[in-house]
Amino acid sequence: MKLNIEGLLVYFPYDYIYPEQYSYMLELKRTLDAKGHGVLEMPSGTGKTISLLSLIVAYQRAFPLDVTKLIYCSRTVPEIEKVVEELRKLMEFYAKETGEVNNFLALALSSRKNLCIHPEVSALRFGKEVDGKCHSLTASYIRAQRHSNPDQPVCRFYEEFDSVGRQVPLPAGIYNLDDLKDFGRRKGWCPYYLARYSILHANIVVYSYHYLLDPKIADLVSKELAKKSVVVFDEAHNIDNVCIDSMSVNITRRTLDRCQNNVDTLQHTIQRIKDTDAAKLREEYRRLVEGLKEANVARETDVYLANPVLPDEILQEAVPGSIRTAEHFLGFLRRFLEYLKSRLRVQHVVQESAPQFLKDIFEKVCIDRKPLRFCAERLQSLLRTLEIADIADFSAVTLISNFATLVSTYSLGFTIIIEPFDDRTPTIANPVLHFSCMDPSIAIKPVFQRFQSVVITSGTLSPLDIYPKILDFRPVTMASFTMTLARTCLCPLIVGRGNDQVALSSKFETREDFAVIRNYGNLLLEMSAIVPDGIVAFFTSYVYMENIVASWYEQGILENIQRNKLIFIETPDAAETSMALEKYQEACENGRGAILLSVARGKVSEGIDFVHHFGRAVIMFGVPYVYTQSRILKARLEYLRDQFQIRENDFLTFDAMRHAAQCVGRAIRGKTDYGLMIFADKRYARADKRGKLPRWIQEHINDGSLNLTVDETVQLSKHFLRQMAQPFRQEDQLGLSLLTLEQLQSEEMLKRITQIAHQA
Amino acid sequence: MDDQGCPRCKTTKYRNPSLKLMVNVCGHTLCENCVEMLFVRGAGNCVQCNTPLRKNNFRVQLFEDPTVDKEVEIRKKVMKIYNKRECDFQSLREYNDYLEQVEDIVYNLTNNVDVENTKLRMEQYQRENKDVIQRNKAKLTREQEELEELLLLEQQSNEQRRLEVLQEEQRQLQAKRKSKQALLDELEQSKLPATLLLAQHKVRAAQLETEIEQQKQNVKPTSLFSTGIQMNHTVSLQPLPRIEEALYLYKPLHVETYGPPVPELEQLGRYGYLNHVRGSLPQDTAGGYTSALACYRAIQDAFSGLFPPKF
C-alpha cells in the first residue's frame, strides 16, 4: 500500500499495516527532518524493521540530497540476513508499483569468515584464522614478492578484483551475504573486498555494530562514509556494553607470555633482515624520521591492525625519536612487558587511574607518555616492514600495544584494576589486568558527531531517558510505542508469595532458603501442569540455577515436573546449549511439551525467539541484577554517579529490568502469538522496578496481577490460556490492530494513532 | 616465574618462595644468600662474567629479565645527564634526533657494544652542557607536569567526595535523632492518643527520608579561590612551546580601478579640487573628518570603471 506520511509518499510492501507502524514512521520522519538523533522503542514482533526500511528508502528517494545512505547496524548474522530479506521484499514492491527499474544498491557486509570464497581459506573454522590466512595471501608486499617469485601463493580472487573489480561499480540490486558470494564466484572476485569497496557508493549498508563502534575496525571500514547518512542501531538495548567492550582491554599472564614469544620472534626477524636486507629497515627508518603518515602509503589489504582512536593532530606528528629504530622499539616493548609482568605479580587488588599508572611506569622503567602513545602505530609499521605474513600470531603484542596507546591517550573515563585472582576461586593465582572503559560515550561519540541522524531502536529501551544520559547525546525525538491488540495476548503476572505465604525473592539473604526454593519449584510444577507446549524459565545466574535445580532434585520436585514435561538446561558451553535448544524445540513439536531452564544475560535470553508454541509461558525467577561485587562494575557505577548524576541503584535496577524485559519478551513475537509472563519475585511489584519495564508490558499489569500467590497465579493463567485457545482469525484483528489503507485514513483512527506514541 | 632461580646455588622460587634475587650493574643474578656469602668483604667478581662488583650495588631484582633491570639502572644514570627538554630545541625534529642519540647510548651500554667510546662521549657531553644539565635537574617535562596536575585533580575530587559523604551521613544521623526525640517529647506531653502520634511520626519520618534524598549534591566545592583558581595548584614554570611561523609581511593594497590614476589625498588641494567642496564645520572635524576625505572618495568613485576591463 502507499502511505502518506506528513506529505511523504511511502511504499509499504504489505496490504495491511499496524497502527503503531504508522506512528513509528511519523516519529522517524520527524527525526530525519530535524537532522537529529532519535531513541525509539517499539515492541518486538510489530514490524520495526520494515517500517524503518520503507520510510528511510522513501525519504532517500524523495530527498536524495539530504539523505544519501542508510547504515543499518544489527547484532548477529541471522539478523542481518533478515533485514536484507525485508529490504528485498520492499524493493520488489517498488518495482511492481512504479514499474521502473530503480538503481538502488543495498548490501550486507560481514567478516571474512562469512564472505570468503577461497577454497582453502574459507574451510578454516575460526574467524581469526581466516583473517590471518587471507592477510598472508593478499598483503601488498606478498603480492609484490610474486613479481620476482611466481611460486608465491596469492589469492586469485583478490588479484582478479584488484585488476578489474574497481572500475565497474557493483550492479544495482539487493545483496545478502550469499548473493555477494555468488556474484564473486561468477566474476571470480573476492566478495569481501568487493563489499568493502562497494559500501562507499551503496544506498543501504547492513552490517554489524562493530564496524561503527569498535575504533580498531571502524577506522578501516567506515571511515569514508558520508556525513549525510542515517545510522540505525537495531536491538540497541545493550549498546552501552558493546561500546565499553570495544574500548576495554584485559591482560592475563598468558597474554604476556605469548607477547614475550612475539617479541622474541620479532627480534629474530629483525636480526635476519638486518643481515639480508638492511635497506628495508633503513627505508622504514627514513620514513619515520620524515614523519610520513603511514596510511598514505598503506594499501587496503595491509591495514589489518589499525590503532585505537587517536586524535588526528597526534597522528600527524612524527614518531618520537626514542622508538624510531627497530632495536630501540623492541627494547621499549621489552621494558613495557616486564613492567606489566611485575605489576601482575601483586598479592592484593589494585585500582588506579591512568595518570597514576603513567607516573608509576615512568618511575619504574623510564617510559614516557609520548612513546607509549605511538606504540600501536609503531608496531604496525614494524610488522609491515618485516613483512610478517601471518599476523594472527601477533595478536598478543598487538593487544599490549593497543593498551599502551589507550592508557596514554585517555586520562578520564578509564580505570585500571589488577586482580590477583578470580573472586570465585581465591586460592588459585590468576592475575588479570583490566583496563576498563567506564564511559560508553567515548566509543560512540564519533558516530554521533559524524552522521546527521542516528536512530537507536529496540523492543526494550525503557526508561528511555537513561540512554541519552549514558551515551551523552541529545535526541530530537524520544518515543515509546505500545502494541495495539485485538485481544490481550500477553499476561504479565507478578508472583510475590508461595502458597504458604513465604515471600518469593532471589535476594541475597534468602538465596539459600529452602522455603523459597520449594515455592519456586511449586510454581514451575503447577505451571507445567496447565501450560501447553513450551515453557522457558530464566534464572539470575548459572550458579543460582545449579543450586536451585540440585535442591529441586533432592526435594523430588524435579521428578514431579518431569511427569508433565521434559526438562532442558542451558549451560555456558555454546555447543551444549544449541543441542539443548534443538531438542527442546523438537519436544515442543511433539507430545506434552518441554521446559527450558536458562539464564538471563545468557545466549538464550538475547538471541533466541520462542514463537508460538515454543514459548507459551516465560517464568523469570528473581531479579537479574549483575554481580554487584565486581570491581569493574563498582568503578563504573561510581563514574556514572560522578559524571552523569545517575545513582548506583537507578542504574542497577535499570540494567536488571532491561534484561528481565528482554527475557520475558522472548515469548511474544507477534500479534497472533500469546504468552504468559510470570515475574516470580516480590520486588517486581514495587513501583520503581515496575516503572522501568517497557510500556507495552507495563500497560497490562494492573493491581489484580500484583503480589499474587502461586495458586492465584494458576487460576489467572488457566483463565488466560482458555481465552487464548479460542480460534483467532485475521478478521478479528482488522480495524483494531491491523489496518487497511481506508481504515488508516479514517479520522478516528488517525486520532487514536497519535496516542500510541508516548513521548518521553 | 617459578623456574627462576639462583644460578649459583640452584635454588628456585618454586622450592623457596621467599627467595630474593639480586642483580648488579652487569645484569647477572644471584640470590641474597649467595651475595652475603661471596661478598663478605664488600667487593668481588661476578660469578658469570668476572666483572668487579661491589656489594652495596646489589639491588633486588624487580623484573623477570635481569637485563631489563640492568637497562633501567643504566637508563636512570644516563637520563641524569641527558636531561634536555623539548623546549631546549629549535624543532621537534632535532628533539627526536636527540632522543634517538640517548637511546643509542643506553643500548650500547646495556648490550656492551663499544662501551669505552660511549662513555667518553657521555663525559664529553657532560662537560659541554654542564649548565643546561644543572638547570634542568629540578624541572619536570611538560608531560610529567600534566600528569602531576591530573593526579592532583583526582586526589582533590576524591577527598571532596569523601568529605561530602561524611557530612551527609552526619546530617542524616542528626536529623533522625532529632525526629526520634521529638516523638518521645510528644508522647510525653501531648494529650492525643499514642497511635495517632505514632502515625504522624511515621509520615514525618518518610518526609525526612525524601528530603535527605533531595539534599544530596548540594555541597559547594571548597578547593577554589574566589577567582576560580585551584588551591594547591602547581603553576607551570615552563616557557610556552615555541610556535614556528612565518612573520606577517605588510603589502600595500593595490586596487585595479579601470580608470585614470586618482590624485593622492595630499595633492587634492594643490590641484584645486577642494575649491568647490563645502569646507568642514568645526563639529565635523571632531571625529577626524576633513573635506579632503569626502572629495577623495568622490573622485575615486568618479574615476573608477571608466575603461573596459583588460582580460
Side-chain angles (χ1 to χ4, degrees), chain A residues 46-64:
Chain A
T46 51
K48 252 191 324 266
T49 313
I50 192 63
S51 328
L52 260 169
L53 288 175
S54 40
L55 187 100
I56 296 179
V57 168
Y59 205 93
Q60 263 178 312
R61 288 170 63 97
F63 310 101

Side-chain angles (χ1 to χ4, degrees), chain A residues 68-115:
Chain A
T68 52
K69 198 188 288 280
L70 164 64
I71 305 169
Y72 195 105
C73 301
S74 204
R75 280 188 315 184
T76 58
V77 175
E79 276 169 17
I80 289 174
E81 297 277 8
K82 251 194 275 177
V83 174
V84 178
E85 285 323 302
E86 290 279 358
L87 193 60
R88 200 188 299 278
K89 233 178 256 170
L90 178 66
M91 283 304 156
E92 274 163 16
F93 183 69
Y94 260 105
K96 208 177 82 195
E97 286 291 311
T98 54
E100 63 192 48
V101 186
N102 48 31
N103 47 354
F104 224 76
L105 176 61
L107 56 95
L109 175 64
S110 182
S111 64
R112 288 184 176 84
K113 183 176 175 292
N114 295 320
L115 276 175

Side-chain angles (χ1 to χ4, degrees), chain A residues 464-493:
Chain A
L464 289 179
D465 53 338
I466 208 158
Y467 283 90
K469 257 196 210 164
I470 55 180
L471 299 180
D472 197 19
F473 72 105
R474 279 239 181 124
V476 290
T477 49
M478 278 206 281
S480 170
F481 305 89
T482 57
M483 204 174 197
T484 49
L485 294 169
R487 53 171 190 174
T488 40
C489 67
L490 64 160
C491 177
L493 300 171

Side-chain angles (χ1 to χ4, degrees), chain B residues 256 258 305-311:
Chain B
E256 186 59 62
Y258 303 117
L306 294 179
F307 306 151
K310 305 173 272 252
F311 289 113

Side-chain angles (χ1 to χ4, degrees), chain A residues 53-263:
Chain A
L53 288 175
S54 40
L55 187 100
I56 296 179
V57 168
Y59 205 93
Q60 263 178 312
R61 288 170 63 97
F63 310 101
L65 292 179
D66 285 350
V67 171
T68 52
K69 198 188 288 280
L70 164 64
I71 305 169
Y72 195 105
C73 301
S74 204
R75 280 188 315 184
T76 58
V77 175
E79 276 169 17
I80 289 174
E81 297 277 8
K82 251 194 275 177
V83 174
V84 178
E85 285 323 302
E86 290 279 358
L87 193 60
R88 200 188 299 278
K89 233 178 256 170
L90 178 66
M91 283 304 156
E92 274 163 16
F93 183 69
Y94 260 105
K96 208 177 82 195
E97 286 291 311
T98 54
E100 63 192 48
V101 186
N102 48 31
N103 47 354
F104 224 76
L105 176 61
L107 56 95
L109 175 64
S110 182
S111 64
R112 288 184 176 84
K113 183 176 175 292
N114 295 320
L115 276 175
C116 185
I117 53 172
H118 191 278
E120 284 161 33
V121 180
S122 58
L124 294 171
R125 265 188 67 209
F126 297 106
K128 253 188 191 164
E129 289 175 355
V130 176
D131 289 353
K133 188 81 183 155
C134 178
H135 185 263
S136 70
L137 291 177
T138 57
S140 65
Y141 45 82
I142 300 283
R143 297 175 55 225
Q145 279 172 23
R146 189 177 158 80
H147 291 301
S148 53
N149 173 17
D151 293 339
Q152 182 83 30
V154 290
C155 174
R156 64 190 157 93
F157 298 103
Y158 182 75
E159 293 300 319
E160 190 68 25
F161 167 70
D162 195 46
S163 51
V164 285
R166 261 179 268 263
Q167 286 137 23
V168 219
L170 193 62
I174 314 293
Y175 297 89
N176 64 15
L177 300 179
D178 285 334
D179 295 339
L180 280 170
K181 277 198 211 167
D182 279 346
F183 184 80
R185 275 201 199 95
R186 253 185 292 125
K187 293 266 190 182
W189 294 352
C190 173
Y192 175 74
Y193 284 104
L194 177 67
R196 251 181 64 182
Y197 173 69
S198 302
I199 60 170
L200 295 181
H201 54 258
N203 300 83
I204 297 183
V205 184
V206 186
Y207 59 31
S208 148
Y209 280 11
H210 299 280
Y211 288 109
L212 267 187
L213 292 182
D214 195 332
K216 286 162 243 139
I217 314 173
D219 206 36
L220 295 186
V221 180
S222 314
K223 197 170 189 179
E224 287 161 34
L225 297 182
K227 177 177 168 35
K228 286 184 179 170
S229 307
V230 177
V231 180
V232 175
F233 288 106
D234 197 4
E235 300 291 332
H237 47 271
N238 264 341
I239 196 166
D240 53 328
N241 292 335
V242 177
C243 293
I244 281 181
D245 287 346
S246 71
M247 298 289 278
S248 299
V249 181
N250 290 334
I251 296 171
T252 59
R253 181 69 211 190
R254 265 191 66 214
T255 328
L256 293 182
D257 288 340
R258 290 214 330 266
C259 186
Q260 181 79 56
N261 290 339
N262 289 165
V263 173

Side-chain angles (χ1 to χ4, degrees), chain B residues 81-82 118-128:
Chain B
I81 300 169
Y82 285 84
T118 319
K119 278 196 174 152
L120 278 179
R121 240 167 82 194
M122 267 173 75
E123 272 166 27
Q124 195 189 346
Y125 175 88
Q126 194 171 9
R127 255 179 280 125
E128 283 169 7

Side-chain angles (χ1 to χ4, degrees), chain A residues 253 285 321 324 328 335 338 345 353 356 359 362-365 369-370 638 641-642 647, chain B residues 1 62-65 71-72 75-76 96-97 100 103-104 143-144 148 151 154 161 213:
Chain A
R253 181 69 211 190
Y285 174 75
R324 249 180 350 204
H328 295 169
R335 265 181 293 147
E338 286 297 331
R345 228 180 293 142
S353 63
Q356 277 170 328
K359 193 176 170 187
F362 179 75
E363 277 163 11
K364 293 270 167 59
V365 287
R369 189 177 178 178
K370 199 165 164 199
E638 204 165 288
R641 191 191 56 205
D642 291 345
R647 277 187 302 167
Chain B
M1 182 76 222
L62 275 176
F63 306 105
E64 271 169 44
D65 188 354
E71 189 187 334
V72 170
R75 189 175 288 274
K76 279 185 180 156
N96 278 335
D97 288 342
E100 196 187 329
E103 207 62 31
D104 259 332
E143 305 234 305
Q144 280 166 333
E148 291 288 328
L151 281 177
E154 200 181 289
R161 206 174 310 141
E213 285 286 293

